[in-house]
Amino acid sequence: MDRLVNTVRPYAWGSTTAIPELLGEEPTGEPQAELWMGAHPGAPSRVDRGDGPRSLADVIAADPSGELGAPCVEAFGPRLPFLFKVLAAAVPLSLQVHPDRRQAEAGYAAEEAAGIPVDAPHRNYKDPHHKPELLCALSAFEGFCGFRRAEESADILAALDVDGLKPYVDLLHARPEADALREVFTALLTADRAEITATVSAAAPAAERLGAEGGPHAAAYAAAARAAHHHPGDPGFLAVLLLHHVRLQPGEALYLGAGVPHVYLSGLGVELMANSDNVLRCGFTPKHVDVPELLRIVRFQSADPAVLRPEAGDDEAEVYSTPTDEFQLSRHVVPPASAPRALPSHVAQILLCTHGTVSLHGGDGGDAPDGPELTLRRGESAYVRAGVAVRLRGEGTLFRAAAAVAPRRV
């Protein structure tokens, strides 16, 4: 068991207080957006096994099967297949989409062949991996994701009563749904910048007014108007009105697969994803925007948001089920004076305490009085290599991230 030393990413959209409060630290006054836990080369966690701090990525690379477990290496190769984060949004992140596995492999290979440095600002594909992700709210959390029905989007845009939006409303009514969503989304992102800025400038106050008046879409209007306030004139304001507005309560989660456009607006949550940094952006960002490539990746189909609630699993765990094998998130609420609770040990895992104090007890069966022990307080995390038996004691809440692979049959 290794206590993790993690890196905080200071992206401009981050909260100045949420992550420091979780960690029990004084705010610096600067935004603290993401706390990374894992072995991604961009900001690997560090561990100390008695010979000084080392990158978790280097520790795993030295003995992949011993660290990750043979089933994990057989499924995903000699790398930790997931990246675990705490995400703290104070203002909107970029409107974005992630590629599927085939798209990521092809995009990465093409940019490698073109000689584009991996750290180049205009590079789209940092690695050849897909990036499904799961966001579980620790506080009230707000965002937009996935396309609404075209007819509903037409009504939402029409209610703004802005002349510049009428062609988009007509398209949404006139074309088959997938074609309508593709054409309108494309038109919004490729429109003449001066014209679309003028349309956004007229529509944003109307959305703010409709948000204040109430009605079935008031919350969506209000959220989009707040985003427009942070990014004046950005066509992303209109694009998000084609998407579902989502508000998560603590403990609820949102799963995002490939090709689903989304933007997080505000809140604190834990985020678990495949170990990738492939993001294509189209709004609410000063970073590189490649609209043609993004439009090739987006899946233009309406669907309800994949909002998840935990399901009862083994050993009193609460599991968030997704179709992704690279990761599985579970929540463990440990009541006071409860019996020790065993965790699966066939794969590597990262454990994050978000409330109270939870002790990790190792050794044979986890009950040996002289076995190793590691106590996690709120905001602290640990890496547990495969094959290490761990039991939980204490009083608190722990989130567990691990690959969703079955133990090898003997």
Side-chain angles (χ1 to χ4, degrees):
M1 298 182 292
D2 299 281
R3 188 182 302 278
L4 292 179
V5 177
N6 303 307
T7 297
V8 174
R9 309 307 293 262
Y11 305 136
W13 48 261
S15 167
T16 59
T17 59
I19 288 179
E21 182 181 352
L22 178 71
L23 299 177
E25 299 175 352
E26 287 295 321
T28 64
E30 299 297 319
Q32 298 191 27
E34 294 181 348
L35 178 75
W36 285 29
M37 297 165 286
H40 190 281
S45 300
R46 297 172 301 285
V47 301
D48 190 340
R49 294 182 174 174
D51 53 358
R54 295 178 62 197
S55 158
L56 182 58
D58 292 342
V59 170
I60 291 171
D63 183 13
S65 292
E67 294 291 336
L68 303 176
C72 186
V73 174
E74 290 170 3
F76 307 112
R79 60 191 291 271
L80 190 69
F82 61 85
L83 174 61
F84 200 19
K85 298 180 181 180
V86 176
L87 183 147
V91 298
L93 284 66
S94 58
L95 177 58
Q96 60 187 254
V97 69
H98 305 304
D100 63 24
R101 194 188 311 275
R102 178 187 58 80
Q103 292 163 338
E105 290 173 351
Y108 180 79
E111 291 186 330
E112 285 289 282
I116 303 173
V118 172
D119 59 353
H122 62 288
R123 177 138 182 175
N124 290 318
Y125 298 94
K126 311 294 186 183
D127 54 67
H129 306 291
H130 68 161
K131 193 185 178 222
E133 63 187 37
L134 179 71
L135 186 287
C136 180
L138 296 179
S139 71
F141 201 97
E142 188 174 26
F144 287 94
C145 78
F147 287 109
R148 298 176 183 266
R149 297 296 304 269
E151 290 288 329
E152 185 179 20
S153 293
D155 293 342
I156 289 172
L157 294 182
L160 295 170
D161 195 24
V162 173
D163 287 344
L165 293 177
K166 291 179 180 178
Y168 305 118
V169 173
D170 292 342
L171 273 174
L172 288 166
H173 281 307
R175 304 283 287 154
E177 184 162 86
D179 294 339
L181 294 172
R182 179 183 295 276
E183 291 184 27
V184 171
F185 197 74
T186 301
L188 290 172
L189 298 180
T190 58
D192 177 83
R193 188 68 189 206
E195 291 181 5
I196 201 67
T197 297
T199 300
V200 170
S201 297
E208 187 172 13
R209 173 178 52 80
L210 291 170
E213 290 178 356
H217 302 301
Y221 285 126
R226 289 194 298 272
H229 173 75
H230 291 290
H231 298 276
D234 195 305
F237 160 74
L238 297 173
V240 298
L241 290 175
L242 304 177
L243 310 181
H244 292 280
H245 177 237
V246 177
R247 289 186 289 189
L248 302 177
Q249 296 304 310
E252 294 182 326
L254 180 66
Y255 175 75
L256 293 161
V260 178
H262 60 280
V263 55
Y264 298 143
L265 301 178
S266 63
L268 179 70
V270 294
E271 190 178 26
L272 183 56
M273 62 192 66
N275 194 1
S276 171
D277 199 24
N278 285 326
V279 180
L280 291 116
R281 303 174 179 87
C282 64
F284 300 153
T285 180
K287 294 183 178 180
H288 174 61
V289 171
D290 186 339
V291 171
E293 182 65 11
L294 177 132
L295 293 173
R296 194 178 68 81
I297 298 301
V298 172
R299 296 181 179 176
F300 292 96
Q301 57 189 39
S302 62
D304 291 335
V307 175
L308 306 177
R309 293 169 181 82
E311 303 171 353
D314 296 335
D315 299 316
E316 301 178 273
E318 298 172 312
V319 179
Y320 295 87
S321 298
T322 75
T324 300
D325 292 335
E326 278 93 339
F327 61 78
Q328 183 180 76
L329 182 68
S330 58
R331 183 176 67 177
H332 300 259
V333 180
V334 182
S338 60
R341 182 179 303 179
L343 296 178
S345 61
H346 63 288
V347 291
Q349 52 195 311
I350 291 179
L351 308 173
L352 169 69
C353 180
T354 59
H355 174 74
T357 301
V358 179
S359 294
L360 316 180
H361 291 259
D364 184 12
D367 282 328
D370 57 348
E373 177 181 346
L374 181 62
T375 297
L376 298 181
R377 294 174 176 82
R378 188 169 186 259
E380 294 181 333
S381 57
Y383 164 77
V384 182
R385 63 178 289 168
V388 175
V390 174
R391 293 193 179 187
L392 308 179
R393 291 174 175 158
E395 180 180 359
T397 300
L398 198 78
F399 282 88
R400 175 183 183 266
V405 294
R408 177 179 286 173
R409 294 183 178 180
V410 178

